[in-house]
Amino acid sequence: MGMPKKILLVEDEKNIILGVKTCLEVANYDVLVVEDGEEAIETAIREKPDLILLDLMLPKLDGYAVCQDLKSREGTNNIPIVVLTAKVEEESRKRAMEVGADSYMTKPFRPEELWQEIKKFIH
Amino acid sequence: MSLERYKLFFRELPETVILIDMGCRIRACNTSAEKLLGHSEESLRGKRIQDLLSSPPLMSLLDEAIAFSRTPSLNHENSIIELTKGDKKEYFKVSMNFFGAQAPKEKFLLLILTDITVLKEIEQHKTDFFATASHEFRTPLTSIFMGVGMIKTGQLGQISPKGRELLEAIESDCTRLLRLANNLLDLSRMETGSISMELEDVSAYDIIDAALATLKLQAEHKNISLYTKVPGDPPLVKADVNKIIWVVTNLVGNALRYTGVKGSIIVKALRKGTKVIFSVQDTGKGIPPEYHDKIFQKFVQVDGGSGGAGLGLAICKEIVEAHGGEIWLKSEPGKGSTFSFSIPVGRS
Ligand SMILES: Nc1ncnc2c1ncn2[C@@H]1O[C@H](COP(=O)(O)OP(=O)(O)O)[C@@H](O)[C@H]1O
Ligand SMILES: [Mg+2]
């Protein structure tokens, strides 16, 4: 087995962090967690994760801005970003895709769904 | 009462009242109309209404009324018009009536506009509230789904059979809660018309096919036979595909839920004049007659339903009516139910 893949989870809800982190660790991923938008950008630049799970409503800088920033930056623009959000509206999905998100999952979801989505981007 | 008093009454009515002749020219109006149109009655007299109010839907109603010399049939959809005042939108409910019928020359049309902007705003608040509530439900549901799902994998420790049963129960009730949140949101959006309709011509057969695709497995599990009957060339309907699939899915979903094992369900589509009638017939427990009138209302369930919230049929009705169609029910307790709805036929 190769090195475990690194996933950056950007989420500000404690209970969701617990659930998602557990779900990823059981599947052998390395998980970094940050809870606001600014830290998300700093950490992504520094750590170069293999994938980012990004909530949209975040303190300091929202998920759209984070996504736009990372996707326009040399070095992070190739990292797949999967948006995890409670926003079910079509406009939110459109906007996220416009700022470069690779995929859009609405909350709630089950562990299997999350694993499946991640496998589309990293093997 | 004196004529003067009557005049005063007319002038001070809170509704906007405008008297129009058959040339669409204003002959008289009240104070509220003066305010809306921004001129005094004096200077409005003889002016064409088209030049003063910019609302194509209202103009086409007036044209129709004058052309056919009768009031057009007004419903919830076409009787509400939107007028822009500065950067503010105002909403009015239109009603009209002819009077002075002797000679065509003396015929007038009384146009009454009732300001319903406040009602619209309340509706909007309601939709916003449901959107927020639905959103607020999703966050806690996420951690519950993840938590239960992770424990269920067994990878965090072994689970006893009783424990597994409880986890299944939690998961199924979370699914129910999520469905309720989704339904409330859909319903309020449909009610305020804030979901736009995307009409296209589509085969009734394809709609049924798409709806049944997600339900076949469920039918097999319950040992219920699921048939489709679309005789001859499948008729086209003019429909918002996703919404009508939603309706069929819901009706068949109900039929599955309220029909026992070894029952059968038949889904049909049949052209009748300018409409296509879809029907979902089951051999289930049926619905008592006293419920037939109210079963399409929100939260109405027979014996507390079974795991639903009583919103499905209310949403079906909203969707069908937004297509200009109707939905109805025939049922005999113990023998089964047939839910049918009609929507306009499409162009091939
Ligand atoms: N095919 C059917 N057979 C018997 N009863 C039905 C059927 N469809 C609907 N009902 C009754 O109508 C009620 C309202 O249905 P619906 O609005 O879809 O809500 P729900 O299914 O979520 O309770 C149900 O609770 C049930 O009592
Ligand atoms: Mg139902």
Side-chain angles (χ1 to χ4, degrees):
Chain A
M1 273 210 350
M3 283 274 286
K5 300 280 185 186
K6 208 183 326 177
I7 295 181
L8 172 62
L9 170 64
V10 190
E11 169 65 65
D12 61 328
E13 285 284 338
K14 288 275 182 290
N15 292 347
I16 295 184
I17 294 175
L18 177 62
V20 173
K21 193 161 181 273
T22 310
C23 169
L24 298 176
E25 283 170 351
V26 161
N28 265 323
Y29 294 111
D30 246 353
V31 190
L32 298 165
V33 181
V34 297
E35 301 186 23
D36 72 62
E38 284 174 7
E39 232 191 306
I41 293 176
E42 285 164 25
T43 313
I45 294 170
R46 193 179 60 236
E47 300 284 339
K48 301 260 181 332
D50 297 290
L51 181 131
I52 300 174
L53 297 174
L54 179 64
D55 185 18
L56 286 180
M57 293 206 292
L58 292 166
K60 298 192 186 164
L61 203 60
D62 70 22
Y64 300 111
V66 172
C67 192
Q68 185 151 39
D69 183 290
L70 292 177
K71 286 295 183 182
S72 60
R73 208 182 267 275
E74 191 86 27
T76 57
N77 57 356
N78 288 325
I79 305 172
I81 296 183
V82 175
V83 168
L84 304 180
T85 178
K87 290 174 183 277
V88 289
E89 292 76 19
E90 198 41 46
E91 307 88 77
S92 308
R93 177 190 296 272
K94 256 196 207 148
R95 210 177 133 202
M97 295 324 243
E98 273 165 19
V99 294
D102 296 272
S103 149
Y104 191 95
M105 277 183 94
T106 54
K107 293 174 181 170
F109 40 78
R110 294 178 163 80
E112 308 81 59
E113 295 170 293
L114 184 59
W115 289 327
Q116 239 175 41
E117 199 57 35
I118 291 173
K119 283 202 195 104
K120 287 185 192 162
F121 300 99
I122 51 181
H123 314 278
Chain B
M1 203 158 44
S2 71
L3 196 59
E4 277 311 303
R5 292 284 290 279
Y6 273 116
K7 259 192 184 157
L8 201 67
F9 266 10
F10 168 73
R11 296 234 3 116
E12 298 313 322
L13 273 175
E15 281 79 15
T16 297
V17 186
I18 305 172
L19 190 68
I20 299 165
D21 64 21
M22 295 300 99
C24 245
R25 285 176 197 282
I26 298 177
R27 298 293 281 267
C29 70
N30 68 352
T31 323
S32 168
E34 291 179 333
K35 255 191 226 138
L36 180 71
L37 302 174
H39 298 279
S40 69
E41 185 183 15
E42 202 86 317
S43 56
L44 286 170
R45 228 172 257 141
K47 294 244 165 66
R48 279 155 32 103
I49 184 108
Q50 295 86 312
D51 302 333
L52 295 156
L53 277 182
S54 150
S55 164
L58 175 62
M59 294 318 143
S60 66
L61 283 176
L62 287 175
D63 287 345
E64 188 186 335
I66 288 170
F68 296 103
S69 269
R70 63 175 152 75
T71 39
S73 67
L74 294 167
N75 56 39
H76 187 72
E77 294 291 309
N78 71 0
S79 69
I80 293 172
I81 62 160
E82 187 185 305
L83 296 173
T84 325
K85 212 176 189 183
D87 52 6
K88 201 175 166 269
K89 278 186 182 149
E90 294 188 327
Y91 295 88
F92 293 87
K93 188 160 177 56
V94 180
S95 45
M96 45 178 86
N97 217 346
F98 280 101
F99 76 94
Q102 296 103 324
K105 255 197 180 148
E106 283 170 31
K107 211 165 173 178
F108 296 105
L109 185 63
L110 196 59
L111 172 67
I112 301 169
L113 303 176
T114 313
D115 191 340
I116 55 160
T117 311
V118 175
L119 290 179
K120 273 275 177 193
E121 280 168 4
I122 293 172
E123 272 188 0
Q124 190 56 50
H125 285 310
K126 198 178 86 182
T127 311
D128 293 348
F129 170 78
F130 282 126
T132 311
S134 156
H135 179 260
E136 292 301 320
F137 275 151
R138 287 172 197 281
T139 302
L141 279 173
T142 308
S143 57
I144 302 175
F145 270 120
M146 290 306 275
V148 171
M150 286 315 298
I151 296 173
K152 258 179 61 185
T153 62
Q155 302 208 41
L156 306 176
Q158 221 184 346
I159 322 157
S160 66
K162 197 75 204 167
R164 180 164 297 276
E165 202 184 332
L166 284 170
L167 290 174
E168 299 288 352
I170 297 173
E171 206 172 40
S172 115
D173 269 357
C174 280
T175 309
R176 178 177 176 179
L177 202 56
L178 176 61
R179 203 160 63 116
L180 176 61
N182 284 338
N183 282 357
L184 276 174
L185 181 65
D186 289 345
L187 182 64
S188 67
R189 279 178 175 168
M190 285 305 298
E191 279 181 344
T192 51
S194 58
I195 280 189
S196 59
M197 297 277 289
E198 287 164 29
L199 296 177
E200 52 184 303
D201 293 323
V202 47
S203 148
Y205 186 83
D206 291 346
I207 289 182
I208 295 176
D209 207 40
L212 295 191
T214 58
L215 295 165
K216 277 193 181 127
L217 212 64
Q218 227 176 304
E220 271 169 35
H221 278 311
K222 266 191 102 174
N223 213 343
I224 291 176
S225 346
L226 195 53
Y227 304 102
T228 309
K229 272 195 191 162
V230 185
D233 258 351
L236 288 182
V237 288
K238 190 166 213 60
D240 184 312
V241 183
N242 289 328
K243 295 198 181 73
I244 292 298
I245 290 176
W246 197 100
V247 173
V248 177
T249 307
N250 241 266
L251 294 179
V252 179
N254 277 350
L256 279 168
R257 201 147 3 126
Y258 303 108
T259 300
V261 283
K262 297 213 175 120
S264 64
I265 298 171
I266 307 174
V267 187
K268 292 185 201 163
L270 201 88
R271 181 170 172 171
K272 203 173 173 193
T274 58
K275 300 265 159 138
V276 172
I277 297 175
F278 287 77
S279 63
V280 177
Q281 185 182 355
D282 66 51
T283 57
K285 65 177 189 179
I287 297 173
E290 65 270 25
Y291 279 91
H292 290 194
D293 284 341
K294 59 182 181 198
I295 203 74
F296 295 102
Q297 292 169 16
K298 275 177 271 193
F299 305 115
V300 173
Q301 296 179 307
V302 183
D303 304 332
S306 99
L311 288 171
L313 290 176
I315 302 177
C316 289
K317 184 169 174 351
E318 285 291 333
I319 294 177
V320 168
E321 287 179 354
H323 281 80
E326 280 176 274
I327 186 163
W328 64 94
L329 149 76
K330 278 205 181 107
S331 176
E332 214 178 308
K335 294 212 167 141
S337 317
T338 306
F339 281 86
S340 310
F341 67 88
S342 62
I343 51 174
V345 65
R347 262 182 249 274
S348 40

